[in-house]
C-alpha cells in the first residue's frame, strides 16, 4: 500500500487524452482513498503519484516516483466505483492506449486490455482485487485467496527489482525499485506488446 500519495481523477476523451483534473485526494496509511467527483459521465482516469510504500524485497520505505493509473471506461454520475490502482492497472491502461491509437473505441480497448492482464498476472480480476500486504512484522495466517495471490505478484515485482539492482551493482531499494520497474512495465505496454521495448527504444533498469 502507498500512503500519502496524491490521487487525481481526470476525464478522458475518445483518444484517452486527459482533460483538466476533476478532483484530488490523498491516500491513507493503508493505501485507500476516496475521491468525491463533480457530476461527470464518461471515461475517467485515476492517477496516483508520490507518497511512500514498503519495498517488500528490501524492507525499506521507498518513494513512489512513477505514476500508477486506473481507467474507468464509462463512469455515470452519482454512482460509486471501486478501483485498485496498481502496477497491473497501469499496464492495462497502456495496452488500452495502444489499441485506441489503432482505432479501437475506448470501452473496447479497456475491456480487451483487462482480459489480457487479468489472464497474464495470476488469472485475477485486478480491477477490484485488494492485494494482501505481506510485509507485516507480526506472524500472520493467510489463505491462498485472490488477494494473497495479488500480494505475491506485487512482491515478485519488488524481488525482480532487487535482482536487477544487485546485478547492476546498485543498492536495492534506491534507483531500481518495484515502483520504477512497474513504470517500465507501463512504458513497455504503450506499443501494445510486452517485450522489453517501448516503440523503438529498449527499456533499461540499472544496467539490465
Amino acid at each position: 500500500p502507498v500512503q500519502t500519495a496524491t490521487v487525481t481523477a481526470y476525464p478522458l476523451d475518445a483518444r484517452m487524452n486527459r482533460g483538466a483534473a476533476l478532483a484530488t485526494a490523498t491516500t491513507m496509511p493503508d493505501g485507500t482513498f476516496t475521491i468525491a467527483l463533480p457530476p461527470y459521465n464518461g471515461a475517467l482516469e485515476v492517477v496516483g503519484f508520490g507518497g511512500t510504500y514498503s519495498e517488500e524485497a528490501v524492507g525499506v520505505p521507498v518513494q513512489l516516483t512513477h505514476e500508477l493509473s486506473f481507467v474507468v471506461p464509462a463512469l455515470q454520475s452519482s454512482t460509486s466505483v471501486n478501483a485498485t490502482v496498481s502496477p497491473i492497472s497501469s499496464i492495462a491502461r497502456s495496452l488500452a492506449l495502444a489499441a485506441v491509437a489503432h482505432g479501437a473505441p475506448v470501452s473496447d480497448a479497456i475491456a480487451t486490455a483487462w482480459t489480457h492482464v487479468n489472464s497474464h498476472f495470476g488469472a485475477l480480476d485486478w480491477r477490484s482485487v485488494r492485494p494482501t500486504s505481506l510485509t507485516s512484522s507480526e506472524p500472520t495466517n493467510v489463505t491462498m485467496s485472490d488477494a494473497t495471490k495479488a500480494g505475491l505478484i506485487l512482491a515478485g515485482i519488488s524481488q525482480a527489482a532487487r535482482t536487477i539492482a544487485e546485478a547492476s551493482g546498485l543498492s536495492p531499494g534506491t534507483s531500481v525499485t518495484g515502483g520504477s520497474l512497474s513504470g517500465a512495465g507501463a512504458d513497455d505496454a504503450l506499443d501494445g506488446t510486452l517485450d522489453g521495448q517501448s516503440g523503438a527504444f529498449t527499456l533499461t533498469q540499472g544496467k539490465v
Side-chain angles (χ1 to χ4, degrees):
V2 184
Q3 60 179 322
T4 67
T6 299
V7 183
T8 307
Y10 297 95
L12 295 179
D13 65 16
R15 303 286 292 177
M16 288 184 64
N17 296 310
R18 295 175 187 172
L22 294 172
T24 62
T26 302
T27 59
M28 303 294 287
D30 65 354
T32 59
F33 63 92
T34 300
I35 296 183
L37 296 173
Y40 173 75
N41 295 310
L44 183 82
E45 184 175 7
V46 181
V47 179
F49 182 77
T52 58
Y53 67 95
S54 176
E55 187 72 25
E56 290 106 323
V58 189
V60 297
V62 172
Q63 186 172 19
L64 181 65
T65 57
H66 291 70
E67 287 185 350
L68 297 177
S69 175
F70 186 103
V71 177
V72 180
L75 181 72
Q76 297 295 318
S77 288
S78 301
T79 61
S80 297
V81 175
N82 291 323
T84 299
V85 184
S86 71
I88 312 306
S89 67
S90 301
I91 293 173
R93 177 258 183 190
S94 293
L95 289 175
L97 194 62
V100 166
H102 286 86
V106 171
S107 58
D108 291 350
I110 294 171
T112 300
W114 278 120
T115 297
H116 284 309
V117 299
N118 285 342
S119 176
H120 185 71
F121 293 99
L124 309 174
D125 188 351
W126 282 92
R127 290 168 294 186
S128 58
V129 66
R130 184 174 176 178
T132 298
S133 176
L134 303 176
T135 58
S136 174
S137 59
E138 300 296 327
T140 57
N141 293 318
V142 296
T143 60
M144 193 51 70
S145 62
D146 285 355
T148 302
K149 291 177 185 177
L152 287 168
I153 289 167
L154 295 182
I157 293 174
S158 177
Q159 180 61 44
R162 176 172 183 161
T163 300
I164 290 171
E166 291 173 339
S168 303
L170 301 170
S171 296
T174 54
S175 58
V176 180
T177 65
S180 71
L181 187 56
S182 298
D187 289 343
D188 188 345
L190 283 170
D191 59 8
T193 306
L194 288 169
D195 59 359
Q197 299 281 129
S198 185
F201 299 97
T202 299
L203 293 161
T204 302
Q205 292 282 285
K207 296 179 181 179
V208 175

